[in-house]
Amino acid sequence: MRFAYDAGRAMACAPRPSMIHVRSILALLGFAMLVGACSTTTSSWDPRRWFSKDESPPPAPREVPGAEARLRGIGSAATGMVRVRETADYLLVQVELGGVSPGVTYRVVFHDTANCSSPNAFSAGAPWAAPGARSSATQLIPLMNASTEGRGELVARLRGVRMGDGGMVNRSVVIYEGTAIEPLKPSVPNNVVACGVFVKATSLF
């Protein structure tokens, strides 16, 4: 029996080289995507994280430098607190004063030395003008008036003024009765009513 060779039928039944090539490429791509999905450590592949909020902690707030001085009376019953904090463009000064003569004007002055041990505040050194001050050290902070109850409060924003190197912990603050400021001399009576040494503030204000 003789068999006739049908060339056209043979070519139709044989797989086409182009189809084999396409199927191979698709198979390789599918395998690569499967391996990548299983091996990646990126959290974006986890569907549970697609709609979740960012879990990264917020940045810690920058510590604002600050100092505070507790006032003690110098020949008076004055008490109170002076707080100083440096901000972006000004120095914030907050004064709370009590136990002083009612209806009297008082002046707050920074001094060069952190020492209030002497009886008339001479140990506080000379008046100190903070860097950036546009006025003298004795007129840097506005005047403060005491109420009829003998209490005074003051909040001053000194634009462009800084604490300087080392901050205020190396300084003191002196409260004068009246508007006149006379040089402090050893054992010589003066118009100082309170003095305080700056330490690092324990809280923001």
Side-chain angles (χ1 to χ4, degrees):
M1 180 180 296
R2 300 180 63 184
F3 295 92
Y5 176 72
D6 189 344
R9 184 177 179 181
M11 293 182 64
C13 294
R16 297 180 181 180
S18 59
M19 292 297 296
I20 295 176
H21 184 64
V22 171
R23 290 174 182 173
S24 300
I25 293 176
L26 292 176
L28 289 174
L29 288 175
F31 179 74
M33 293 179 64
L34 181 61
V35 172
C38 295
S39 61
T40 183
T41 58
T42 305
S43 61
S44 61
W45 286 97
D46 187 352
R48 294 173 299 179
R49 296 180 177 269
W50 289 352
F51 302 101
S52 63
K53 295 182 180 180
D54 186 8
E55 298 179 357
S56 59
R62 184 179 67 88
E63 181 181 358
V64 179
E68 59 188 19
R70 186 171 298 278
L71 299 173
R72 71 173 186 87
I74 299 293
S76 73
T79 60
M81 180 76 74
V82 178
R83 297 182 176 89
V84 181
R85 177 164 61 88
E86 186 177 295
T87 67
D89 57 352
Y90 59 82
L91 192 70
L92 180 62
V93 182
Q94 182 185 56
V95 182
E96 298 174 359
L97 183 64
V100 294
S101 301
V104 176
T105 300
Y106 292 88
R107 188 178 289 280
V108 181
V109 181
F110 296 145
H111 277 248
D112 185 63
T113 306
N115 190 337
C116 292
S117 60
S118 61
N120 66 346
F122 171 75
S123 57
W128 177 76
R134 300 180 181 179
S135 58
S136 65
T138 58
Q139 298 181 351
L140 176 63
I141 302 173
L143 294 172
M144 177 178 58
N145 296 317
S147 66
T148 55
E149 291 79 20
R151 300 187 59 85
E153 293 184 356
L154 171 69
V155 176
R157 293 173 174 83
L158 310 178
R159 190 167 300 277
V161 179
R162 321 307 295 171
M163 288 188 181
D165 295 338
M168 297 294 295
V169 295
N170 299 318
R171 317 291 177 187
S172 60
V173 58
V174 176
I175 311 297
Y176 294 83
E177 184 177 275
T179 60
I181 303 295
E182 298 180 359
L184 303 180
K185 299 178 181 180
S187 304
V188 176
N190 51 43
N191 59 335
V192 174
V193 296
C195 181
V197 173
F198 282 110
V199 297
K200 185 178 180 179
T202 57
S203 62
L204 299 179
F205 66 96

